[in-house]
Amino acid sequence: VGYSRFDEDKVHKPKRVQLGPNVMLDVERCIMCSRCIRFSDEIAKQPVLTFTERGTHVVLTTFPGTQLDNPYSMNVVELCPVGALTSADFRFKSRVWEMSSTDSVCVGCARGCNTHAWVRKNEILRLTPRFNESVNSYWMCDAGRLNTFKSVCSQERLNGPMIRKDVALAEVGWDEAMSMVVSELKGFKKNEIAGIGSPYATNEDNYVFQKLMKEVIGTKHLDFVQHVEDGDDDELLIRADKTPNSLGARQVGVKPTEGGLEIAGILKGVQNGSIKALYVLEDDITEDPEFAAVLPNLDLLIVHSSVQNKTTKLADIVLSCSTYAEKHGTFTN
């Protein structure tokens, strides 16, 4: 235990104050600069922070009965010049100099906020905003910070391809999985096969996928599932479209050719049996309850995915893939 040469009585202030669900405050570090107060008021439009008391006893706090819980609350962590405000999710996990930073893009919505991905021992520990005045300025939302990278090191990650043997999925080698994909697809007519691209996948992956479906397999039935939540875009960054690349997927050709089926027609085709084989790229389409209900009707379901989900559990062939944080590629916001 150390000691201090300061002989007078110190002013002790609260050390671990939960300002909201995502932000912690150490009042003894605070220098009363008011950056967080002004951000909450002027940018996030939630004026709940204030100073109370006087002189050396001044403390930063929330108004009674409120908390710092706006969708952009964690930006105050970067704004704080002295580390008084910290992320409840990241605090004490690592020192900054122990991590490497990689430029990336948030996959939480169609805004495409520019980010830094901070990695230690091959694990992403946090995301922070990367300045781009044309897209997100200095900011990003809390949901993008906390929810978009957890799947990269998820316990549900797929380690390799799987094929259904009898009832259960079994891990196999890539040669066996790819041979089965080819042999199984050859058993169907072109108009009995449909492809579903992904607004979560890169432009490059979607481009190759549509070339495979249209030019190699020869089907006209190709589209992707929209993931747009109810409600409008907000005034700052958050978009109702919760995918990073729906515009890019459409621009690189993930759409039916003339006479082909769009997503509603593919759904109906699976339901009535005219579509017997479905090839899905990096999307858990069972999030749509209508698709979840009809997928058991298929004779063949092939899925590319990085994690286990309800769609992979219904699949006949599962091909594991890298996440957005593990490959080079582009999104179109």
Side-chain angles (χ1 to χ4, degrees):
V1 177
Y3 68 95
S4 172
R5 292 177 293 174
F6 185 79
D7 294 327
E8 308 301 323
D9 289 336
K10 291 184 177 180
V11 178
H12 290 288
K13 298 180 180 180
K15 295 289 288 181
R16 288 170 292 277
V17 180
Q18 191 90 34
L19 290 184
N22 299 321
V23 180
M24 296 285 286
L25 167 66
D26 181 341
V27 188
E28 286 191 346
R29 291 182 178 180
C30 181
I31 60 170
M32 320 304 164
C33 69
S34 80
R35 284 182 176 187
C36 56
I37 294 175
R38 287 180 285 137
F39 172 83
S40 299
D41 185 10
E42 298 169 20
I43 306 297
K45 308 299 183 185
Q46 190 202 27
V48 298
L49 295 178
T50 188
F51 292 131
T52 60
E53 305 296 341
R54 294 182 180 181
T56 58
H57 294 276
V58 170
V59 295
L60 173 69
T61 186
T62 54
F63 286 102
T66 68
Q67 59 178 346
L68 183 66
D69 58 0
N70 67 73
Y72 301 95
S73 67
M74 295 180 71
N75 287 286
V76 300
V77 174
E78 275 89 44
L79 286 173
C80 183
V82 292
L85 297 168
T86 53
S87 162
D89 180 70
F90 171 72
R91 55 192 264 120
F92 306 133
K93 285 185 177 179
S94 177
R95 300 291 188 183
V96 172
W97 55 86
E98 296 171 338
M99 300 184 292
S100 62
S101 170
T102 303
D103 292 351
S104 188
V105 174
C106 179
V107 297
C109 77
R111 167 66 69 172
C113 290
N114 289 205
T115 65
H116 297 292
W118 295 85
V119 176
R120 183 186 181 191
K121 295 181 179 178
N122 210 34
E123 180 183 1
I124 301 175
L125 297 181
R126 69 170 180 172
L127 300 179
T128 57
R130 177 164 54 96
F131 174 69
N132 186 331
E133 192 58 59
S134 300
V135 180
N136 57 301
S137 189
Y138 296 92
W139 323 122
M140 68 183 296
C141 73
D142 292 2
R145 286 178 189 264
L146 298 175
N147 301 331
T148 57
F149 70 90
K150 298 294 176 71
S151 64
V152 176
C153 292
S154 167
Q155 296 295 318
E156 300 299 313
R157 281 299 299 268
L158 294 167
N159 294 320
M162 297 187 292
I163 63 176
R164 190 168 298 280
K165 295 183 177 180
D166 297 326
V167 178
L169 287 168
E171 292 188 10
V172 296
W174 279 102
D175 289 342
E176 182 179 352
M178 289 188 287
S179 296
M180 185 173 178
V181 169
V182 174
S183 62
E184 290 291 324
L185 286 174
K186 284 182 176 179
F188 298 93
K189 298 176 182 177
K190 294 178 181 180
N191 62 357
E192 295 177 335
I193 303 172
I196 296 183
S198 176
Y200 296 102
T202 62
N203 289 319
E204 293 77 7
D205 287 349
N206 274 300
Y207 176 76
V208 172
F209 183 73
Q210 63 88 20
K211 294 274 283 187
L212 169 69
M213 299 308 297
K214 294 177 180 178
E215 297 181 17
V216 179
I217 295 174
T219 181
K220 297 179 179 180
H221 311 318
L222 177 65
D223 206 349
F224 62 87
V225 178
Q226 299 277 356
H227 295 269
V228 180
E229 293 186 353
D230 294 336
D232 297 326
D233 304 337
D234 78 359
E235 295 179 0
L236 190 53
L237 298 178
I238 299 173
R239 308 289 90 175
D241 182 352
K242 297 306 176 186
T243 62
N245 201 35
S246 55
L247 178 59
R250 189 69 75 207
Q251 288 179 332
V252 299
V254 182
K255 52 190 174 184
T257 52
E258 186 176 352
L261 298 175
E262 296 183 340
I263 197 68
I266 293 173
L267 174 63
K268 188 175 180 180
V270 175
Q271 190 173 25
N272 63 30
S274 60
I275 299 295
K276 301 181 184 299
L278 192 63
Y279 199 140
V280 181
L281 176 69
E282 294 185 46
D283 194 357
D284 183 7
I285 60 174
T286 58
E287 290 180 357
D288 183 334
E290 291 186 290
F291 263 110
V294 302
L295 287 183
N297 297 351
L298 290 166
D299 293 336
L300 176 65
L301 176 60
I302 304 169
V303 179
H304 283 264
S305 182
S306 60
V307 295
Q308 297 181 50
N309 53 46
K310 292 180 180 178
T311 304
T312 64
K313 290 177 181 178
L314 294 170
D316 299 292
I317 305 172
V318 178
L319 303 172
S320 61
C321 60
S322 302
T323 67
Y324 80 98
E326 297 163 328
K327 59 187 173 186
H328 294 285
T330 58
F331 294 134
T332 306
N333 67 359

